[in-house]
Amino acid sequence: MENFEIARILGEVADLLEIQGANSFRVRAYRNASRAVAQLTRPLAEMVEGNEDLTELPDIGETVAANIVELLETGTLQRLEELGREIPISLVELTRLEGIGPKKAARLWKELDVTDLEQLEAAVKAGRVETLPGFGPKSAAKILAAIDERRKQRGRMLLSEAEAFLTPLLRHMEKAPGLDRLEVAGSYRRRRETIGDLDLLVTVKGEGARVVDHFASYPAVERITGQGDTKGSVVLRSGPAVDLRVVPPESLGSALLYFTGSKEHNVELRTQAVRDGLKVSEWGIFRVTEEGEEGERIAGRTEEECYRVLGLPWIPPELRENRGEIEAARKGALPDLVTVKHLRGEVHAHTDWSDGALSVRELAEACLARGLQYLVVTDHTPAVGVAGGLTAKRVRAQWDAIERAREKVEGIRIFRGLEVDILKDGSLDMEDEVLDELDFVIVAVHTYMALDKSEMTERVVRALRHPAVDLLAHPTGRLLNRREPYGIDMETVLHAAAEQDVAVEINSSPRRLDLSDVHLARARELGVPVAITTDAHKAKDLDNARYGVDQARRAWLERDDVLNARTATQFAKWLRRRHG
C-alpha cells in the first residue's frame, strides 16, 4: 500500500470521527497524520520493513503508527471498519461538497437520513434541507450547485494527486524486465491543473509482453481492463485509469508527441503537415506518395526530430494547446519560460502569529534552505477569525519578532507584510497607519463570496485602488475539484491592476492554482506583474512553488514577467515605487 492510500484512509477516519462527534483531539490527530503521510517522500512500507519507529515522524503517534502497520500488513484497517458499521462511509463524500463539513453531514444523516449525493439532491429538491437549522434556502441552492460540480469533477484529480499515484508506479516500472525507456505523456506532461487518465510509453529490449505483465502486476492495481503484447490498461485502487503502450524505438518521439497532445495542437500539426506532403501519426512522420499512400518514414525517433522535419523548433509540452505556439515557433518567437530556479523570494507565507506552523525565524530558515534571497511575512488580519488574524497591536508586536529574526538569520532579507482581508464594501481590514508602515501589502477575499459578479468586481477593484496595496492574492477564490470561482470580471480586475501597478498571484497550492493559465496570459499581455507564491503555512508548503511555475509556463510567462524572480535588491526597488 502506497503513502497516498494510507493518507486517504487516515483522512476518512478523521472525517468519520468528526461526523460521529468524537473528541476533537482524536479527530485532529488523524487529520494531521493524514497530511503528514501525504507529504512523506519515503515509502512507509520501506520504513516498516526496516523496523523504523514511525512515531519519530511528525504528527504520527503510537495509535496512528499501529494503524499504518496494520494497513501495510493486512490491507485493511479495523478502526475504519468499526466506524463504517456505525456511520455510512458514503457521508465522507458529502463533506467534500463546498459548504458541508462533517457537522452538517452528520445533521443531514441523523435528521433526514441522507447518506449520499443522490439522496441529498432529492432532499434539497423536496425542500427538506432548507428547513434544517444552519442551512436555509441559499444554502440549499449552493448545495445543488456543489453536487453538480462534484459530478463534473468525478474522474479528475489534482496534478499533485496524479503525482502521488504516478511516483510509486514509475518506481515499480523501472524494475520491469527488458525496459529500455519510460516516458509519461498526456495532460500530466502538459502540467494541466487537473488530470484524467495517465499515459505511459515504453520501449523495450526483447518481448514487450514481459513489460506489460510487470505493469499489470503492480500491487495497487484494482482491476485490469486490457492486457496484450504491446498494451496494458489498468485502474488503480481509489485512483485513475492508466494506459501503458509499448512502442518501437524509432517511433518513441512521434508517439510521445501524439499522446502528449493536446488534441488541438496535434490537429494543427497534422493540418500543416498535409500542406507539406507529409503524414503525421503516432508511428512517425511519413512522406506521402503521388498516389496518396504512406511512403518513407522521415522522423519519429525523437520529438525534436519530428518538430524539425515540420520546420519547427521543439515546443515545450506546457504550451501545446494550439494557442499560437505553432505560429510563434515558426517565427522563432517562443517564450523563454520561467523555471523554479528563477525564483528568488517568497512573498506570501504565514507564521505561527496567525495560522502558520513556524516562527518567523523558522520560516526564514526554511526559505534560506531552498536558496531564496528574501521572504515577506504575510499573516492574516482579524476578519479571518479562524486564522487568528492580527490586530494592529499584534502586527506591531510581530515587527519586533521580524527584527529579531533579521538579526539571527543571515543571508536572507525579511520584509514586513500582511495579508489583508478585502471587506464586503471593498475597504481593507487594517488601519491605514499600519498599512503605511508595511513593506508589502497583500489583499484577498475570504468572506462574502456569494456576491453577484458586479458587486464582487467593484469590491476588488476598490481594494486595488488603495495606495498601499501591492498584490492581489488567489483572485478568483477557486478550490479545484471543490469550489468554483466566485463571480468576478477578471478583465476589469486585471485592467485595474495594470493601472494601479499592482501584481496578481499564482497561488501554488495544488488545490488553488489561482489564477488560471488563461487569466495569467491576459495579465502578461497587460503588463501586470505576476507573483508565484506558495501561501506557505509550513515548511513543506514552500516546495509547492513548482506547481505555480507549471501554471506560469502554461501562460507563456518568462522570468521578467514574475515579480519574485527579481533579486532582493530589484524587489526592494519595486516596492519603493509607492513606499518611497
Side-chain angles (χ1 to χ4, degrees):
M1 186 172 287
E2 301 294 340
N3 288 1
F4 64 86
E5 295 177 272
I6 296 170
R8 176 184 57 79
I9 291 170
L10 295 177
E12 287 183 358
V13 171
D15 289 333
L16 292 173
L17 284 171
E18 192 164 0
I19 290 170
Q20 186 188 57
N23 180 282
S24 61
F25 177 80
R26 292 171 61 206
V27 174
R28 191 162 55 250
Y30 276 97
R31 188 87 65 208
N32 291 342
S34 175
R35 292 174 183 144
V37 168
Q39 294 173 354
L40 283 177
T41 54
R42 285 188 63 195
L44 283 167
E46 178 185 294
M47 299 179 70
V48 170
E49 187 176 345
N51 293 318
E52 296 184 42
D53 185 0
L54 299 185
T55 62
E56 293 183 359
L57 295 171
D59 294 318
I60 305 296
E62 291 184 3
T63 299
V64 173
N67 289 165
I68 292 171
V69 173
E70 181 184 348
L71 281 167
L72 288 168
E73 291 181 347
T74 69
T76 60
L77 182 60
Q78 185 178 350
R79 185 70 185 105
L80 182 61
E81 292 175 354
E82 291 171 352
L83 287 168
R85 287 192 288 270
E86 300 174 22
I87 307 163
I89 291 182
S90 57
L91 286 175
V92 171
E93 185 170 19
L94 298 191
T95 68
R96 305 295 185 257
L97 297 175
E98 178 66 18
I100 296 184
K103 291 180 180 178
K104 283 192 173 182
R107 187 174 299 158
L108 289 166
W109 168 47
K110 293 175 181 177
E111 299 188 30
L112 299 183
D113 199 28
V114 165
T115 61
D116 58 34
L117 290 182
E118 287 68 31
Q119 292 175 357
L120 177 57
E121 182 178 42
V124 171
K125 291 180 176 179
R128 299 166 62 209
V129 171
E130 64 187 58
T131 64
L132 290 179
F135 286 86
K138 288 185 178 180
S139 293
K142 289 180 184 177
I143 288 170
L144 281 182
I147 291 172
D148 183 58
E149 184 60 28
R150 183 69 178 171
R151 284 177 175 149
K152 292 178 185 176
Q153 295 159 355
R154 280 176 172 170
R156 296 199 68 81
M157 56 195 154
L158 305 183
L159 181 56
S160 58
E161 292 171 338
E163 283 189 350
F165 284 106
L166 188 58
T167 300
L169 174 58
L170 294 180
R171 285 199 302 263
H172 172 80
M173 288 306 303
E174 286 167 357
K175 300 173 184 176
L179 178 71
D180 180 28
R181 290 277 302 278
L182 171 62
E183 299 286 351
V184 183
S187 56
Y188 179 86
R189 186 169 181 241
R190 301 200 317 276
R191 308 306 282 171
R192 289 284 304 273
E193 53 205 28
T194 62
I195 308 296
D197 299 340
L198 296 173
D199 297 280
L200 304 182
L201 301 177
V202 298
T203 60
V204 301
K205 299 173 182 177
E207 296 295 325
R210 292 193 301 163
V211 174
V212 177
D213 290 344
H214 185 81
F215 170 67
S217 72
Y218 180 51
V221 166
E222 183 176 87
R223 66 180 185 276
I224 299 170
T225 56
Q227 185 172 356
D229 291 342
T230 60
K231 184 178 178 181
S233 298
V234 302
V235 176
L236 302 183
R237 281 198 307 269
S238 303
V242 187
D243 289 333
L244 173 78
R245 294 173 177 85
V246 180
V247 299
E250 61 271 18
S251 298
L252 179 60
S254 52
L256 188 56
L257 177 59
Y258 179 86
F259 287 108
T260 294
S262 67
K263 177 182 177 182
E264 293 76 14
H265 178 84
N266 289 348
V267 167
E268 185 62 24
L269 285 180
R270 290 199 297 271
T271 300
Q272 296 195 22
V274 168
R275 292 198 290 265
D276 296 333
L278 302 174
K279 177 184 177 182
V280 177
S281 76
E282 64 263 44
W283 303 109
I285 300 181
F286 303 85
R287 296 193 190 280
V288 177
T289 67
E290 293 181 0
E291 294 77 22
E293 301 294 327
E294 186 177 287
E296 173 192 7
R297 184 207 309 265
I298 58 173
R301 189 169 292 273
T302 68
E303 280 192 325
E304 289 81 358
E305 181 183 76
C306 292
Y307 278 113
R308 186 168 59 250
V309 302
L310 295 173
L312 301 168
W314 180 79
I315 298 176
E318 298 94 329
L319 300 184
R320 300 179 195 176
E321 300 293 345
N322 197 28
R323 297 177 184 165
E325 71 277 5
I326 295 174
E327 181 181 359
R330 199 173 296 282
K331 293 178 179 178
L334 286 174
D336 184 10
L337 297 176
V338 66
T339 70
V340 172
K341 292 181 179 179
H342 289 148
L343 300 185
R344 294 289 179 265
E346 175 56 74
V347 300
H348 184 178
H350 299 270
T351 73
D352 56 7
W353 281 78
S354 64
D355 57 344
L358 304 177
S359 67
V360 174
R361 176 177 176 177
E362 289 169 335
L363 181 58
E365 290 171 340
C367 289
L368 184 62
R370 287 160 175 80
L372 298 180
Q373 296 178 2
Y374 54 95
L375 160 69
V376 185
V377 177
T378 55
D379 282 307
H380 288 286
T381 53
V384 189
V386 296
L390 306 185
T391 62
K393 182 178 181 180
R394 292 190 68 224
V395 169
R396 289 191 167 93
Q398 188 188 58
W399 294 347
D400 293 334
I402 289 174
E403 190 58 41
R404 291 192 296 272
R406 287 171 174 169
E407 295 171 357
K408 296 290 185 180
V409 187
E410 297 181 358
I412 187 168
R413 291 183 66 173
I414 308 174
F415 294 91
R416 302 192 310 199
L418 204 59
E419 183 179 3
V420 183
D421 230 56
I422 302 175
L423 301 178
K424 187 178 181 180
D425 64 356
S427 61
L428 301 186
D429 184 36
M430 185 54 61
E431 294 90 332
D432 284 352
E433 291 79 4
V434 174
L435 298 179
D436 289 342
E437 294 185 63
L438 291 165
D439 299 314
F440 191 77
V441 175
I442 297 174
V443 292
V445 170
H446 293 99
T447 56
Y448 296 103
M449 294 186 181
L451 296 180
D452 68 39
K453 189 173 184 178
S454 61
E455 285 182 294
M456 183 65 81
T457 303
E458 183 179 348
R459 171 190 186 184
V460 172
V461 168
R462 181 186 173 191
L464 295 184
R465 289 176 178 153
H466 191 290
V469 172
D470 296 295
L471 174 69
L472 174 61
H474 40 79
T476 73
R478 73 178 185 180
L479 294 175
L480 293 169
N481 285 358
R482 187 172 177 88
R483 183 173 72 205
E484 282 288 279
Y486 42 68
I488 189 167
D489 183 347
M490 279 309 303
E491 181 70 10
T492 298
V493 169
L494 289 173
H495 273 281
E499 291 166 4
Q500 301 301 318
D501 200 9
V502 171
V504 294
E505 177 186 67
I506 303 176
N507 190 296
S508 299
S509 166
R511 179 64 68 183
R512 287 188 183 273
L513 293 179
D514 187 6
L515 285 168
S516 72
D517 53 358
V518 174
H519 287 145
L520 288 167
R522 184 60 176 147
R524 174 178 53 83
E525 292 171 355
L526 294 173
V528 177
V530 173
I532 301 176
T533 82
T534 64
D535 195 357
H537 288 68
K538 50 186 178 295
K540 186 70 175 176
D541 292 345
L542 295 168
D543 299 326
N544 286 337
R546 59 196 178 93
Y547 298 115
V549 170
D550 290 335
Q551 192 83 333
R553 290 170 65 87
R554 287 180 54 78
W556 296 48
L557 268 60
E558 300 182 286
R559 181 177 186 169
D560 289 346
D561 299 315
V562 178
L563 177 63
N564 54 318
R566 306 181 191 201
T567 65
T569 300
Q570 291 168 335
F571 177 70
K573 180 180 179 181
W574 183 81
L575 292 178
R576 290 195 295 274
R577 81 203 187 285
R578 286 192 182 172
H579 301 293

